[in-house]
Amino acid sequence: MPSSNTFKIITIDGGAAVGKSSTSKGLAERLELMHVDTGSHYRTLTCAILGSGADAEQSETVSKILEAIKLSTQIDGRTARLGINEVVPADSDLRSPEVNAQVSKFAAIPEVRKKLFAYQRSLADLAREQQYAGLIMEGRDIGSIIFPEAAYRFFLDADEATRAARRAKEGQTDSIAARDKMDRTRLAAPLVCPKGATLINTADHTLEEVIGKITHLIGS
Ligand code: DC
């Protein structure tokens, strides 16, 4: 079992389609880490709220729906997935065009972020309990708000054309530029390169190179 002083917390932030998920999953495999995709947390809450018939403008209704939601976790290989009342939504529901179009609006609501803050931090304890060598968490505010104290914080970026081509290859309808604009300009936990984080341009490297570079930088 890894001792607590060797347990690593690695944060990976960046805009849509910069390569956060492939990089995080690859590092989780290589370094025996638990992987958490916090974008899927916002997608899960978005699905639940839309499924209850509310939209992001109905703040009181959204708060009531959030109060009734019980968060749970399902571990699937190296990935910890968020469930609501023990049910983890299908990936196809989390990545539907409707959720792609709405998720940034819900992610800008402070109550939505508050609902996830302690839960996301608690996943480090879960990873320790489950005897992973560390936790790798990807998102928009992980190195700035969720784990600002983490020893290893990275911010991935890539030009818009590269990112659009990646989404098209995945067959997804996604307004990357519009989502990034909302994520960067919102008041609550905006998308920023955290102070002191290492910036990596993924358009200049293959996935293996990015994984190799990060592995080297964290000294594993
Ligand atoms: O990584 P993704 O595209 O699945 O994320 C979906 C949305 O969730 C993204 O547009 C912004 C929001 N998000 C966030 O606000 N904070 C995070 N830590 C992760 C995602």
Side-chain angles (χ1 to χ4, degrees):
M1 171 181 171
S3 69
S4 59
N5 59 1
T6 61
F7 184 87
K8 290 181 173 63
I9 297 184
I10 302 167
T11 71
I12 307 280
D13 288 301
V18 294
K20 297 187 299 296
S21 285
S22 329
T23 303
S24 303
K25 284 179 192 162
L27 283 162
E29 274 305 316
R30 187 180 285 198
L31 304 178
E32 301 183 0
L33 311 168
M34 187 169 94
H35 164 242
V36 177
D37 167 14
T38 61
S40 72
H41 296 173
Y42 290 93
R43 290 172 181 274
T44 299
L45 291 184
T46 298
C47 274
I49 298 166
L50 290 174
S52 300
D55 61 40
E57 279 70 43
Q58 295 168 287
S59 53
E60 268 185 37
T61 313
V62 168
S63 297
K64 279 197 187 121
I65 295 168
L66 288 171
E67 267 172 41
I69 285 177
K70 189 173 161 286
L71 305 179
S72 57
T73 307
Q74 186 179 301
I75 297 183
D76 181 6
R78 298 207 160 279
T79 295
R81 295 188 194 283
L82 173 66
I84 287 189
N85 307 327
E86 307 292 336
V87 178
V88 177
D91 257 2
S92 52
D93 292 336
L94 295 182
R95 299 189 176 277
S96 69
E98 191 186 10
V99 171
N100 280 346
Q102 298 283 333
V103 62
S104 288
K105 283 191 206 164
F106 285 101
I109 300 175
E111 283 77 14
V112 169
R113 307 199 74 83
K114 219 180 282 169
K115 181 81 188 174
L116 292 170
F117 177 81
Y119 170 74
Q120 289 173 346
R121 276 195 66 89
S122 77
L123 292 171
D125 298 328
L126 179 65
R128 280 192 187 90
E129 276 164 36
Q130 297 285 318
Q131 306 191 359
Y132 288 94
L135 167 71
I136 187 159
M137 186 174 281
E138 54 166 302
R140 304 294 191 287
D141 63 342
I142 311 307
S144 56
I145 305 282
I146 306 298
F147 288 114
E149 77 281 19
Y152 309 106
R153 295 176 304 144
F154 297 91
F155 189 85
L156 308 188
D157 206 356
D159 60 85
E160 221 173 293
T162 303
R163 295 159 65 191
R166 285 178 184 156
R167 277 291 189 263
K169 209 170 156 192
E170 290 163 4
Q172 281 202 51
T173 314
D174 194 354
S175 330
I176 293 171
R179 272 209 295 141
D180 270 9
K181 188 168 177 218
M182 281 195 68
D183 295 340
R184 282 183 194 279
T185 55
R186 69 184 176 217
L187 292 176
L191 167 65
V192 285
C193 177
K195 222 172 158 194
T198 303
L199 173 67
I200 299 178
N201 188 337
T202 63
D204 295 343
H205 304 282
T206 64
L207 175 60
E208 273 314 307
E209 284 169 352
V210 175
I211 291 172
K213 194 176 162 83
I214 294 178
T215 304
H216 175 73
L217 285 169
I218 66 181
S220 287

